[in-house]
């Protein structure tokens, strides 16, 4: 092999070039963040160019979400539409009244988006000006000093659903402007109930409430083996998923149990009510056998697959289920569309004494404490704009619920979404505890331990309460 | 001394300057990041500042039951995957090495194929295979009259299931290396052994395995490091469950960092893991390299 010889001048030239590039890159660093100064608002008008960084989850493709309707998953036309279309459209609309304004939209992924935001919040590096997230997550960011508070007009205060404001409030301040909401409930495959001749077991009146005995009766009636040898189960949901609390908690709340006390700062899960809820779950797995074997390790994809293949009569449902199932029918993921006929109902509870409760979620736009005063003031005005009554209807494109009363008239005639909206009334204040997510990290494995008979409900609850309170103390001391 | 260094510099300065760039890259992207992780582990890291807390994060980590459980799980996984994987690779390599050249190529490619498939895709396929009701493995069990298992869905069988998957799909690189090393063993050694009455097993045990020791040592060290850092399959397939049965040290580190926002504790776990890995590697090197056969 021949050696290539470098001349000294040539080599120093390369080194100099690299050093210059590094120096230029360093000059592009974001200016240090600081509190907004009074009068910054006025300077927005004077500013000629303001570019905001906006991190957004991929909610739907196209501006209205209708652009891709009817296109198959492999249709090349789909490539013309992206999840950044609506954010870009909104920025362009805002720029009409605010010349010089632009937004640099970055679409996060659902898997890693929160990690990325978390790194930005905790390290302070590379923070965008605004982003979309869950209320309690934004509160978590606020607690580490990463957020700017939001001021609402009296009119807005009245128009947003109270739950949505509560979900983003902490220490007497609101940390986001609510934009979209979601609710959880039970999803029934009526086709399996019809197949078993027990359709009358499904509650259909009013809020579609039922008690635990009725629920268990329905689960038992829909657990059977088809002539083909195919096994059908009455109920299950994902335990292995980090979001098992989306549905497990409803079993605790349905017996009157609570995870946190009224302050939301102390775990009180070790109660007879919670034990009852968990005992029912354990019995459904190990005694009544209405849940598939090994439900402790079930992922959400396992559950969806069973439901789509007509092997599961009831599972966790949400505001997005209707759309997801419609799309699965269209693209063939559901092999036999006639075998799936979804109907939303409420989680069971100890009626008539105890009303059911469900997990609700509220997402909104938060503003990181970053950028110049002009950028901060512009970002605040822009967030006002994208959460106004008209723009609050945008998430309907993804079958999500609006957070404004004035935007909720759009579900006329859509029974499924009307019920999803109805279910928002059954939210539980446990979900607003700042420690809810952190404690679920401890609680989910406990549910798995109960299902796999490694722990009794009583043992698991005692251990869970102690560990949750230790964790809360650790977080508070930090 | 000084003049000697100056002379060396004068004679080789272009070489040193050429080495400066890769060295700078190593310093910036390796040394500084490792140093940064250590620094984060001795402070309480947050946007409001990072007050020095000494070894408090290490103390908290060492008092955490979950940490010890995750270390046990990591060790369990490593002890399951690495020796078993090497044994399987050795056996398969021996079988493949005795085949014709084209057939060898086919089998090497076949065993290497899972290595080029995304770990996430592989995990999703195995998720289906492990399904207790609808999965392939239980169907095969039923065909031969065995009781079905819960595989990933029971705390008792979840970790062995992950080990099975890792051993079944992760031997491609080992087989390629081992068969290449087998090709470098001089034939006269086998011929002499045969003259002395050695059979195939004797040849394998007393010639092949001892002469493959450097390759086996390499596989042992790299396999241990890789298995201590297992994450993808656990993230996709079990999320550390059921009931912490598959929660390994790196998965715990991830949850501390990204679910609990405790980067300092996560960094402390990372540093402890790095120290343990360095010690284990040193021990492996000492014991396995001892008595190496030269030829």
């Amino acid at each position: 092999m021949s050696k290539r010889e470098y001349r000294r001048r040539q080599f120093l030239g390369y080194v100099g070039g690299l050093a210059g590039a590094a120096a230029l890159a360093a000059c592009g660093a974001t200016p240090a963040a600081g509190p907004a100064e009074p009068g910054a608002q006025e300077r927005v008008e004077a500013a000629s160019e303001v570019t905001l960084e906006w991190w957004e989850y991929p909610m739907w493709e196209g501006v209205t979400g209708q652009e891709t309707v009817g296109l198959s998953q492999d249709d090349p036309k789909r490539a013309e539409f992206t999840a950044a279309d609506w954010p870009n459209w909104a920025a362009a609309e805002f720029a009409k009244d605010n010349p010089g304004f632009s937004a640099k939209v970055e679409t996060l992924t659902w898997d890693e988006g929160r990690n990325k935001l978390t790194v930005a919040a905790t390290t302070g590096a590379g923070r965008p000006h605004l982003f979309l997230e869950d209320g309690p997550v934004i509160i978590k960011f606020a607690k580490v000093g990463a957020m700017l508070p939001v001021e609402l007009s009296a009119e807005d205060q009245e128009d947003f659903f109270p739950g949505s404001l509560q979900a983003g409030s902490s220490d007497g301040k609101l940390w986001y402007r609510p934009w979209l909401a979601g609710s959880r409930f039970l999803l029934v495959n009526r086709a399996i109930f019809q197949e078993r001749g027990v359709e009358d077991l499904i509650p259909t009146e009013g809020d579609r409430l039922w008690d635990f005995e009725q629920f268990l009766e329905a689960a038992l009636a829909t657990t059977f083996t088809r002539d083909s040898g195919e096994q059908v189960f009455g109920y299950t949901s994902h335990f292995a998923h980090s979001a098992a609390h989306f549905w497990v908690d409803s079993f605790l709340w349905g017996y009157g149990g609570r995870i946190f006390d009224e302050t939301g700062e102390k775990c009180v899960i070790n109660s007879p009510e919670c034990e009852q809820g968990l005992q029912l779950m354990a019995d459904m797995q190990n005694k009544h056998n209405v849940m598939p074997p090994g439900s402790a390790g079930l992922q959400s994809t396992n559950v969806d697959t069973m439901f789509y293949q007509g092997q599961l009569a009831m599972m966790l449902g949400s505001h997005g289920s209707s759309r997801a199932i419609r799309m699965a029918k269209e693209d063939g993921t559901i092999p036999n569309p006639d075998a799936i006929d979804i109907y939303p109902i409420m989680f069971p509870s100890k009626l008539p004494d105890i009303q059911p409760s469900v997990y609700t979620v509220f997402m909104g736009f938060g503003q990181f404490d970053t950028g110049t005063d002009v950028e901060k003031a512009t970002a605040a005005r822009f967030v006002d704009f994208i959460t106004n009554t008209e723009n609050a209807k945008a998430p309907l494109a993804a079958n999500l619920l609006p957070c404004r009363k004035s935007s909720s008239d759009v579900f006329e005639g859509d029974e499924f979404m009307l019920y999803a909206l109805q279910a928002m009334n059954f939210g539980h204040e446990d979900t607003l505890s700042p420690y809810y997510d952190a404690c679920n990290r401890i609680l989910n494995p406990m549910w798995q331990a109960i299902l796999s008979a490694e722990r009794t409900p009583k043992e698991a609850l005692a251990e869970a309460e102690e560990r949750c309170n230790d964790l809360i103390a650790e977080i508070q001391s930090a | 001394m000084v003049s000697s260094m100056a002379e060396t510099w004068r004679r080789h300065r272009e070489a040193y300057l050429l080495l400066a760039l890769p060295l700078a890259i190593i310093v910036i992207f390796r040394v500084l990041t490792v140093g940064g992780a250590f620094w984060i582990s001795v402070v309480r890291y947050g946007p409001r500042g990072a007050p020095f807390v000494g070894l408090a994060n290490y103390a908290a980590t060492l008092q955490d039951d979950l940490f010890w459980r995750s270390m046990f799980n990591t060790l369990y996984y490593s002890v399951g995957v690495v020796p078993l994987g090497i044994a399987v690779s050795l056996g398969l390599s021996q079988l493949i090495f005795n085949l014709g050249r084209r057939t060898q190529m086919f089998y090497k490619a076949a065993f290497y194929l899972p290595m080029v498939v995304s770990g996430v895709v592989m995990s999703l396929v195995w998720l289906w295979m492990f399904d207790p009701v609808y999965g392939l493995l239980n169907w095969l069990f039923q065909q031969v009259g065995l009781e079905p298992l819960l595989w990933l869905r029971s705390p008792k069988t979840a970790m062995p299931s992950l080990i099975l998957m890792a051993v079944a799909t992760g031997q491609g690189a080992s087989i390629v290396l081992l068969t290449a090393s087998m090709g470098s063993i001089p034939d006269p050694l086998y011929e002499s052994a045969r003259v002395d009455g050695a059979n195939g097993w004797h040849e394998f045990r007393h010639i092949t395995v001892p002469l493959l020791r450097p390759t086996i040592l390499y596989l042992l060290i790299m396999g241990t490091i890789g298995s201590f850092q297992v994450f993808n399959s656990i993230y996709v397939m079990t999320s550390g469950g059921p009931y912490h049965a598959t929660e390994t040290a790196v998965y715990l580190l991830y949850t501390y960092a990204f679910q609990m926002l405790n980067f300092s504790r996560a960094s402390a776990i990372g540093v402890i893991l790095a120290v343990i890995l360095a010690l284990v590697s040193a021990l492996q090197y000492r014991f396995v390299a001892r008595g190496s056969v030269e030829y």
Side-chain angles (χ1 to χ4, degrees), chain A residues 303-386:
Chain A
V303 180
D304 288 347
T305 304
M306 286 177 69
F307 195 83
Y308 288 177
Q309 295 187 346
Q311 295 160 342
L312 186 62
M314 293 183 283
M315 70 166 189
L316 173 76
S318 78
H319 50 272
S321 301
S322 163
R323 179 192 171 95
I325 286 172
R326 189 176 66 239
M327 286 170 66
K329 283 183 177 180
E330 283 168 9
D331 66 21
T333 308
I334 292 179
N336 179 8
D338 294 336
I340 311 294
D341 175 18
I342 56 168
Y343 186 73
I345 57 170
M346 189 44 62
F347 274 100
S349 73
K350 211 171 161 188
L351 294 171
D353 305 326
I354 297 163
Q355 289 291 299
S357 293
V358 297
Y359 176 88
T360 49
V361 62
F362 298 97
M363 290 182 92
F365 291 103
Q367 245 188 287
F368 272 134
D369 186 0
T370 191
T372 63
D373 294 340
V374 173
E375 287 169 352
K376 287 176 188 175
T378 308
R381 290 174 51 230
F382 182 56
V383 169
D384 280 1
F385 171 75
I386 53 181

Side-chain angles (χ1 to χ4, degrees), chain A residues 34-49:
Chain A
E37 287 171 17
Q41 173 74 28
E42 287 69 34
R43 288 206 296 277
V44 176
E45 279 79 38
S48 54
E49 297 286 335

Side-chain angles (χ1 to χ4, degrees), chain A residues 388-457:
Chain A
N388 67 25
T389 296
E390 272 317 299
N391 288 327
K393 293 178 183 175
L396 305 176
N399 263 27
L400 288 154
L401 311 171
C403 286
R404 281 182 180 274
K405 295 169 193 163
S406 57
S407 313
S408 304
D409 55 351
V410 286
F411 290 130
E412 288 292 326
D414 185 340
E415 269 196 53
F416 189 96
M417 293 309 282
L418 281 173
Y419 187 77
L421 206 57
Q422 208 172 328
M424 269 171 57
N425 298 326
F426 291 89
H428 196 285
E429 58 185 344
D430 269 347
T431 61
L432 304 178
S433 164
Y435 307 105
Y436 184 66
D437 278 346
C439 286
N440 277 318
R441 159 97 188 106
I442 291 169
L443 298 177
N444 286 353
M446 292 299 166
W447 312 154
Q448 295 167 1
I450 293 167
L451 269 253
S452 52
E454 294 279 319
R455 289 273 188 283
T456 65

Side-chain angles (χ1 to χ4, degrees), chain B residues 175-192:
Chain B
I175 288 170
V176 169
L177 279 172
L178 287 168
T179 47
S181 297
M182 283 173 179
S184 67
I185 298 175
D187 280 341
L189 291 174
Y190 291 107
E191 286 158 11
S192 307

Side-chain angles (χ1 to χ4, degrees), chain A residues 187-235:
Chain A
L187 195 62
V188 160
N189 181 1
R190 277 194 296 206
I192 293 179
F193 279 77
Q194 282 164 355
E195 184 181 350
R196 300 294 288 160
V198 292
E199 212 180 352
D200 58 313
L201 295 180
I202 304 171
T204 53
E205 299 297 319
D207 285 325
R208 304 174 195 175
L209 309 184
W210 55 350
D211 61 27
F212 286 107
E213 286 72 27
Q214 290 169 310
F215 167 72
L216 188 57
E217 188 186 352
L220 285 165
T222 49
T223 300
F224 65 104
T225 306
R226 293 197 170 105
D227 294 340
S228 61
E230 188 180 40
Q231 180 70 48
V232 179
F233 294 95
Y235 177 75

Side-chain angles (χ1 to χ4, degrees), chain A residues 299 301-302, chain B residues 123-131 152 236-237:
Chain A
Q299 303 268 357
T301 44
N302 302 134
Chain B
S123 299
L124 289 173
V125 172
W126 277 81
L127 263 181
W128 165 73
M129 285 169 60
F130 281 136
D131 191 297
L152 296 171
V236 174
M237 299 173 82

Side-chain angles (χ1 to χ4, degrees), chain A residues 249-289:
Chain A
D249 294 354
S250 285
F251 279 73
L252 316 182
W253 296 328
Y255 278 101
R258 289 184 66 106
I259 299 170
F260 300 99
D261 67 2
E262 287 77 6
T263 65
E265 307 219 335
K266 187 182 175 203
C267 180
V268 294
I269 200 168
N270 189 13
S271 66
E273 293 83 9
C274 290
E275 193 185 334
Q276 278 182 287
L278 294 175
Q279 188 60 56
L280 174 68
M281 267 183 8
D283 289 346
M284 282 161 58
Q285 172 76 83
N286 302 317
K287 184 175 161 188
H288 304 300
N289 300 314

